[in-house]
Amino acid sequence: MTAPARERVTTRTTTLPGTREATDRVPLLALLAPLLLFTHGIVDWVDGLDSLDGLRGLGGLGGVAAARDQGALSVAAGVLLVLSVASFAWLTVGLGARLRHLPLAVPTALLAAFGAGATAAVWVGQVTGLIGHEAPAALSSGGGVLTAVALAMVLVALTVEGRLPVGSLALAAGSVGIMLLPWGLGPLASLVLLIALAPLTRPVEAD
């Protein structure tokens, strides 16, 4: 009479749903974030063509009422930038959780989240007209820089702990250098960063 009850208890304790399975978003984000940044670079480049003689109006594409004088491509570029920075911030949080010895998970997560929030706030301010389009570069790109710094700190920490190849860190640094060049090579830098983060697209075994 007691044996079936005992078996029922054991099966119930070993099949608790959702207690063990924690989805690791790092492989997806390591692929998605650079691709979003690449797409932003392409859309922003195409949007900039309307400043050339004979191609005026291309960036407008009919315009968007909520964006006032901005065109659809300008709005799309802004949305892609916000999504990209948010993805990098999420990636930073996921990578910080992998650290075992260096206590950088919390500060880098906070810094990355603040940078993503600042990027979104500046974009909304520009779309609604609260912030002029001639805003200082420190204001318009400061949020993305903060998120990039947080991600860089985590990548360095992972390399120190032996969880990321040194070559990937070097490629990531090279992508930053390419992006800083004054030739609009953002899409190329995004592809280099995608290659640098390729080892992170593979699921990691539990310790």
Side-chain angles (χ1 to χ4, degrees), residues 29 81-91 116 147:
L29 292 171
L81 178 61
V82 171
L83 292 177
S84 174
V85 175
S87 298
F88 279 115
W90 195 358
L91 175 63
T147 301

Side-chain angles (χ1 to χ4, degrees), residues 37-98:
L37 187 61
F38 172 80
T39 308
H40 159 73
I42 295 297
V43 173
D44 188 58
W45 177 78
V46 174
D47 182 41
L49 292 178
D50 62 358
S51 63
L52 302 179
D53 294 335
L55 293 176
R56 298 191 180 279
L58 179 61
L61 291 182
V64 174
R68 297 187 177 181
D69 58 343
Q70 291 193 65
L73 283 183
S74 299
V75 175
V79 172
L80 287 170
L81 178 61
V82 171
L83 292 177
S84 174
V85 175
S87 298
F88 279 115
W90 195 358
L91 175 63
T92 302
V93 174
L95 292 177
R98 293 186 176 184

Side-chain angles (χ1 to χ4, degrees), residues 38 42 175 178-179 184-194:
F38 172 80
I42 295 297
S175 69
I178 294 174
M179 194 169 297
L185 299 179
L188 177 60
S190 304
L191 293 179
V192 174
L193 183 59
L194 178 63

